[in-house]
Amino acid sequence: MGKMLQLGHAVPVISSTELPSTETGNNMKSNPAIQAAIDLTAGAAGGTACVLTGQPFDTMKVKMQTFPNLYRGLTHCCLKTYSQVGFRGFYKGTSPALIANIAENSVLFMCYGFCQQVVRKVVGLDKQAKLSDLQNAAAGSFASAFAALVLCPTELVKCRLQTMYEMETSGKIAQSQNTVWSVVKSILRKDGPLGFYHGLSSTLLREVPGYFFFFGGYELSRSFFASGRSKDELGPAPLMLSGGVGGICLWLAVYPVDCIKSRIQVLSMSGRQAGFIGTFLSAVRNEGIMALYSGLKPTMIRAFPANGALFLAYEYSRKLMMSQLEAS
């Protein structure tokens, strides 16, 4: 997000709700398949906007999470990265990041509509009933579990590309792999197809609670800005601010989990890596609890523009597709 991506990261990633753009079956002519396709396409648009807006900050986050002793802070990390590999170093891993965020947010928003219907059934609501902010948060949390399955492999490749320079100079790997394809081949050769799921448990531990706070923060913020009016009437600025609030809520809730996930995915390049509990205990014992918050500053800075762009692109692209569908 990592997480919307991150999503932030979503990505988080990564949502729908009371807008016509977010409630399935709300006076729409579309059938469920068309609705799912619209959600998927709008989620892809949101994921693209999120990555293009926040990638340099995400790179700094992953570097500082994995190698906290190498960098004194965000400014030091930025200057060192620029001196080592130039401006392109800030955009290492952009192509897998795009794939990761597009895949995550497409699945997230597509499943979100289905999960909203599940929540309605569980609480005994009609299929077209509005969900509360808390119920929407629960639906987003359920949907994130499906998104994690497509996010984990692509985020693994992204994180490894972002930290390749540090892994090589620290002697943890003998030779750098500077392209997406070389990293993919290395994973397949060493660990087979299941190697792409290094860090899956920590990804799920981040996504499921994280997206509860992500969607919850987003919806509560939109309710605040709407002040009793319909959320459909909110303009771009309140939507972007609401997206930023959602991103902040996600990362404050699950940042240490994301830090452990990044370490597992990156350090497993040099050999078998301990699982979530082992990596967590090792980090706390050897570096202190604050090591789990390395890279938090660039993550917080990234949250507003990246997640704001995500929700703005998602909501408006979805509204556009829905209006064209209804006009046809």
Side-chain angles (χ1 to χ4, degrees):
M1 107 52 115
K3 127 273 17 65
M4 19 228 204
L5 354 230
Q6 81 318 108
L7 114 87
H9 28 320
V11 92
V13 54
I14 30 127
S15 334
S16 37
T17 71
E18 299 179 10
L19 295 174
S21 63
T22 52
E23 291 286 359
T24 53
N26 208 13
N27 298 321
M28 298 182 308
K29 298 178 182 179
S30 59
N31 61 35
I34 294 176
Q35 181 59 51
I38 288 175
D39 286 335
L40 189 146
T41 305
T48 301
C50 181
V51 172
L52 296 179
T53 306
Q55 181 64 13
F57 292 107
D58 183 69
T59 297
M60 298 302 101
K61 179 202 77 162
V62 174
K63 285 176 178 285
M64 293 171 71
Q65 283 179 327
T66 314
F67 297 95
N69 296 326
L70 290 182
Y71 303 110
R72 294 190 297 271
L74 175 58
T75 302
H76 183 234
C77 185
C78 288
L79 293 174
K80 287 275 285 185
T81 298
Y82 184 78
S83 66
Q84 290 162 353
V85 287
F87 186 72
R88 63 186 175 85
F90 295 103
Y91 286 90
K92 275 284 186 183
T94 297
S95 54
L98 274 171
I99 296 170
N101 275 269
I102 289 172
E104 179 192 24
N105 286 291
S106 297
V107 173
L108 179 70
F109 287 111
M110 183 178 68
C111 292
Y112 187 57
F114 294 118
C115 290
Q116 283 178 319
Q117 294 294 1
V118 171
V119 171
R120 286 189 182 95
K121 288 182 180 179
V122 170
V123 299
L125 292 176
D126 182 76
K127 285 187 176 181
Q128 296 185 17
K130 299 283 188 182
L131 293 180
S132 70
D133 293 341
L134 184 63
Q135 289 164 344
N136 277 312
S141 180
F142 296 155
S144 70
F146 299 99
L149 297 177
V150 297
L151 173 66
C152 187
T154 47
E155 197 165 62
L156 174 74
V157 176
K158 173 191 75 74
C159 288
R160 289 189 174 186
L161 280 170
Q162 288 173 319
T163 56
M164 198 62 69
Y165 181 88
E166 288 82 358
M167 288 293 287
E168 185 179 26
T169 54
S170 64
K172 294 183 184 297
I173 58 173
Q175 184 177 350
S176 66
Q177 304 149 10
N178 293 314
T179 66
V180 173
W181 180 234
S182 63
V183 173
V184 168
K185 286 194 297 185
S186 173
I187 294 169
L188 286 172
R189 184 172 61 251
K190 287 177 62 179
D191 303 304
L194 290 179
F196 288 102
Y197 285 91
H198 280 300
L200 177 60
S201 60
S202 49
T203 300
L204 284 166
L205 283 172
R206 180 192 68 180
E207 298 288 284
V208 175
Y211 276 97
F212 178 86
F213 290 99
F214 184 63
F215 283 104
Y218 174 66
E219 290 305 326
L220 287 170
S221 183
R222 287 208 308 148
S223 295
F224 171 79
F225 285 119
S227 300
R229 296 175 293 131
S230 169
K231 292 180 182 180
D232 296 352
E233 300 174 18
L234 292 178
L239 276 179
M240 291 192 71
L241 286 171
S242 298
V245 169
I248 293 288
C249 291
L250 183 155
W251 289 115
L252 287 178
V254 298
Y255 192 81
V257 178
D258 182 69
C259 184
I260 298 302
K261 178 205 70 73
S262 294
R263 290 189 180 213
I264 290 172
Q265 291 187 319
V266 171
L267 299 178
S268 57
M269 267 194 287
S270 59
R272 184 170 178 81
Q273 178 68 15
F276 180 84
I277 298 298
T279 304
F280 173 82
L281 292 175
S282 174
V284 172
R285 185 169 54 247
N286 297 325
E287 303 166 52
I289 193 70
M290 292 310 297
L292 301 180
Y293 290 91
S294 297
L296 182 61
K297 184 186 290 185
T299 304
M300 293 295 101
I301 295 172
R302 173 184 177 269
F304 269 93
N307 291 294
L310 185 155
F311 276 111
L312 191 66
Y314 170 76
E315 298 287 6
Y316 276 85
S317 62
R318 195 174 189 283
K319 280 183 179 179
L320 177 63
M321 286 184 283
M322 291 302 301
S323 63
Q324 290 179 339
L325 179 67
E326 292 172 1
S328 61

